[in-house]
Amino acid sequence: MNKNDWQSKIVKYCEDYNLPLYYLSDTLYDPKVIPMIRGKAFEYTVLERIKSILNSDIWEISKPFLNPQLGLHDTDVLVKHKPTNKLISIECKLASKGSCRVSKNRTLIKVKCMRSRTLGVEMVNHLSPKLKIDPNVLTIHNDQYLPSDFDFVITSIGNAFYSTNEKGVFYFNPQEEHFSFLKNFPGVNLKDETFNQLYFASAESISIKRKNKIKCTRKKCKNPNNCGFIPNYP
C-alpha cells in the first residue's frame, strides 16, 4: 500500500481500531483532537518540504517510526548525509495558538518547544548518570529539552494567528495589529502562506547559555543564565 492510496489507508485504520468511518470527520474536528492531529501532520509537512529542497542523490530524508525506549528521544524527521553517513535530527514544533504580539515595531511569536511527556522519577534516575546531570536539576527541568535531544527545530508560525470560536474550535483569525507583519506575505491566501513558511533554529542557538543571552524562568533553577536547557517558548 503506497502513500498515494490514502482512501484505503483510512478505511483500514478505521477497521483496525473499530472507528465508524462515517464519524471520522466528526472525530477529527473535535477541539481536543485538532491540535494533536495538526502537530503530528506538521511533521509530514516538514518531511515533504525538506525532500523537495535537498538533492536525493546526496541526502536521505525519513520519518522514523520509533517505539521510544527509556531515555530514547523520538526523532520527528531524520536527515542523513549519504557521503559521510552523518545524521541530523529535526524536531517539529508549531507556534503557540494566538501567540502573535506586536510591540514597539517588533513582532513576537511564541513557539511551544517542550516535551509532550514530563520526565518522571524513573526516567530522571535513568537519564541522570547518562547525561551527567544531577537528578535534582533534571527534575526541575523535567519538561524541557536539552540541545543533545535534536540538532534543529523547525516551526511554522501559522498557529500564531488562530483564535478559538464559541464551540472551542480554533480558526485562522489574524487581528488588525498583525497585518503590519503579514504584509511580508505577498499572496492572497495568508492562512496557507503563514503555515507553509518554515523557520529553522539550531538546538544550540536556543539553549539557555550565556552566549545566547537567554535566561531560564524556572524559579528553582540554580543557574538561570547558563543551565543549558531549552526554554519552553524560545
Side-chain angles (χ1 to χ4, degrees):
M1 187 181 295
N2 61 53
K3 73 175 184 179
N4 295 318
D5 191 12
W6 59 271
Q7 291 172 311
S8 295
K9 287 182 178 181
I10 290 175
V11 172
K12 186 176 186 306
Y13 179 85
C14 290
E15 290 175 347
D16 286 347
Y17 296 102
N18 304 105
L19 302 177
L21 181 61
Y22 39 87
Y23 284 127
L24 181 60
S25 62
D26 298 270
T27 302
L28 296 177
Y29 271 106
D30 188 292
K32 298 187 292 293
V33 174
I34 292 175
M36 180 177 59
I37 295 294
R38 188 170 167 86
K40 178 55 66 173
F42 178 58
E43 297 172 12
Y44 290 93
T45 297
V46 171
L47 174 74
E48 293 299 320
R49 183 67 62 82
I50 294 178
K51 280 184 176 181
S52 70
I53 295 173
L54 298 181
N55 186 336
S56 61
D57 293 331
I58 301 174
W59 301 93
E60 180 182 316
I61 300 93
S62 63
K63 182 164 179 18
F65 284 90
L66 300 177
N67 180 18
Q69 302 299 314
L70 198 64
L72 180 64
H73 180 67
D74 185 1
T75 299
D76 291 340
V77 176
L78 188 65
V79 178
K80 178 181 178 181
H81 185 239
K82 292 181 180 180
T84 63
N85 287 324
K86 178 179 174 58
L87 298 177
I88 302 170
S89 61
I90 295 173
E91 185 73 14
C92 303
K93 297 293 185 184
L94 292 172
S96 183
K97 178 174 70 72
S99 66
C100 183
R101 298 291 182 270
V102 179
S103 175
K104 295 182 180 180
N105 298 320
R106 294 181 64 198
T107 300
L108 303 176
I109 294 175
K110 288 185 176 182
V111 176
K112 188 176 181 180
C113 191
M114 63 185 76
R115 297 180 185 276
S116 57
R117 295 180 298 275
T118 58
L119 301 179
V121 175
E122 182 183 5
M123 183 71 82
V124 165
N125 291 334
H126 176 77
L127 288 178
S128 178
K130 287 188 173 183
L131 299 174
K132 298 181 180 179
I133 297 176
D134 185 283
N136 293 321
V137 173
L138 206 52
T139 298
I140 291 170
H141 300 275
N142 64 359
D143 65 343
Q144 291 178 281
Y145 290 116
L146 286 162
S148 57
D149 288 326
F150 50 84
D151 297 302
F152 291 91
V153 61
I154 297 181
T155 186
S156 158
I157 65 170
N159 271 9
F161 306 99
Y162 274 68
S163 299
T164 304
N165 65 18
E166 65 279 359
K167 295 182 179 179
V169 177
F170 68 102
Y171 65 105
F172 189 71
N173 183 36
Q175 304 301 302
E176 185 176 349
E177 65 171 346
H178 298 154
F179 284 95
S180 59
F181 172 76
L182 292 174
K183 68 181 180 182
N184 297 310
F185 297 85
V188 295
N189 192 335
L190 289 175
K191 181 176 75 69
D192 289 348
E193 289 171 27
T194 54
F195 182 81
N196 291 327
Q197 185 77 28
L198 304 184
Y199 295 82
F200 294 64
S202 70
E204 281 291 337
S205 69
I206 58 174
S207 61
I208 300 167
K209 295 183 178 178
R210 288 190 179 88
K211 65 178 181 179
N212 294 334
K213 298 180 180 179
I214 299 174
K215 189 172 182 178
C216 184
T217 58
R218 295 292 163 97
K219 292 182 179 180
K220 294 183 178 181
C221 180
K222 303 299 183 183
N223 192 10
N225 295 308
N226 200 47
C227 65
F229 290 87
I230 294 174
N232 292 154
Y233 295 94

